[in-house]
Amino acid sequence: LAYKLFETEGEPIRKLFDRFQISWLDKYTTGSWKYNPLTGKIDVNGSFDCSNQGLSDFKGVEFGEVKDQFRCYGNKLTSLEGSPKKVNDFVCGRNLLKNLIGGPVEVNTYHAVENELISMEGSPVRVNGSMSVRDNLLESLVGSPEYVKDGFNCSDNKLVSMEGAPKNIGGDFNCSDNYLENLIGVPNNIGGKIIL
């Protein structure tokens, strides 16, 4: 088991996490996980997928860095607290999230579709790939990342303006199926096209 690697690093992992948490980590990790004593968080060398489990939280586990993908799709999460701070691909769609507080700080692709988002608060400053927040309840983009390297999709919301949108979008900017009254707040630099 993964925890055996840490018996010599001070506190045994079994004193930090109960057997249900350890079993949960073992079952849904593809690759390996380890406890980082410097951060107090779980790092995953690979991917972690806890989708469609009816979760309202991450069972008291806090994640640090996930090398590949972290999926918590299709649960009952109202907060992203405990999710990884650094991750390649982050998928948190179909939850009950109203904002992105507690989510990743460093991320390549960020998928937060089909939630109940009313605020972009908690977004990372920079997304090194694409970001999608389509099918939410957003009336404002204030709090969005400043820079999105690829595409940014905020379609199917309740936006009346683009104020607060990322300043730089490397790919397409999809803001279709909203209630836009004007183009105020349109990003300074868009590498692709604007989809209205």
Side-chain angles (χ1 to χ4, degrees), residues 137-195:
L137 304 173
L138 293 166
E139 295 181 9
S140 168
L141 290 175
V142 171
S144 293
E146 292 182 13
Y147 174 88
V148 178
K149 185 177 181 182
D150 294 326
F152 183 78
N153 186 341
C154 57
S155 61
D156 293 290
N157 276 285
K158 298 183 175 183
L159 300 169
V160 295
S161 85
M162 297 183 195
E163 288 188 86
K167 294 181 175 64
N168 294 282
I169 297 173
D172 293 343
F173 179 37
N174 186 345
C175 50
S176 60
D177 296 307
N178 278 288
Y179 302 97
L180 295 170
E181 298 170 352
N182 54 59
L183 297 182
I184 293 173
V186 66
N188 298 336
N189 298 298
I190 300 175
K193 57 186 179 292
I194 298 180
I195 303 168

Side-chain angles (χ1 to χ4, degrees), residues 98-102 119-123 142-144:
K98 297 194 180 301
N99 58 56
L100 301 176
I101 294 171
S119 170
M120 291 293 290
E121 187 180 2
S123 295
V142 171
S144 293

Side-chain angles (χ1 to χ4, degrees), residues 2-173:
Y3 68 78
K4 286 185 178 176
L5 298 171
F6 304 93
E7 297 292 359
T8 58
E9 293 184 13
E11 205 120 24
I13 196 74
R14 288 170 294 181
K15 288 187 179 179
L16 299 168
F17 300 98
D18 64 34
R19 63 188 178 92
F20 298 106
Q21 290 171 313
I22 291 171
S23 174
W24 184 66
L25 287 165
D26 284 343
K27 185 173 182 180
Y28 297 107
T29 296
T30 302
S32 61
W33 64 269
K34 67 179 181 178
Y35 172 72
N36 186 333
L38 297 177
T39 62
K41 301 180 190 299
I42 294 294
D43 293 335
V44 176
N45 187 11
S47 297
F48 187 81
D49 188 344
C50 59
S51 299
N52 301 309
Q53 294 184 29
L55 298 174
S56 57
D57 59 35
F58 297 120
K59 297 182 180 286
V61 174
E62 291 189 25
F63 293 87
E65 180 176 356
V66 175
K67 291 284 187 186
D68 295 325
Q69 190 175 71
F70 186 93
R71 296 178 61 89
C72 54
Y73 184 90
N75 283 297
K76 297 178 181 177
L77 299 172
T78 58
S79 170
L80 289 176
E81 294 294 343
S83 60
K85 297 300 126 195
K86 183 177 182 180
V87 60
N88 181 37
D89 184 24
F90 185 70
V91 182
C92 61
R94 288 198 178 175
N95 278 288
L96 305 174
L97 301 169
K98 297 194 180 301
N99 58 56
L100 301 176
I101 294 171
V105 176
E106 292 184 55
V107 62
N108 286 332
T109 54
Y110 201 131
H111 306 273
V113 305
E114 296 179 60
N115 274 283
E116 297 177 0
L117 293 179
I118 56 173
S119 170
M120 291 293 290
E121 187 180 2
S123 295
V125 174
R126 178 186 179 101
V127 174
N128 295 313
S130 61
M131 184 174 194
S132 180
V133 289
R134 66 169 174 78
D135 288 302
N136 277 288
L137 304 173
L138 293 166
E139 295 181 9
S140 168
L141 290 175
V142 171
S144 293
E146 292 182 13
Y147 174 88
V148 178
K149 185 177 181 182
D150 294 326
F152 183 78
N153 186 341
C154 57
S155 61
D156 293 290
N157 276 285
K158 298 183 175 183
L159 300 169
V160 295
S161 85
M162 297 183 195
E163 288 188 86
K167 294 181 175 64
N168 294 282
I169 297 173
D172 293 343
F173 179 37

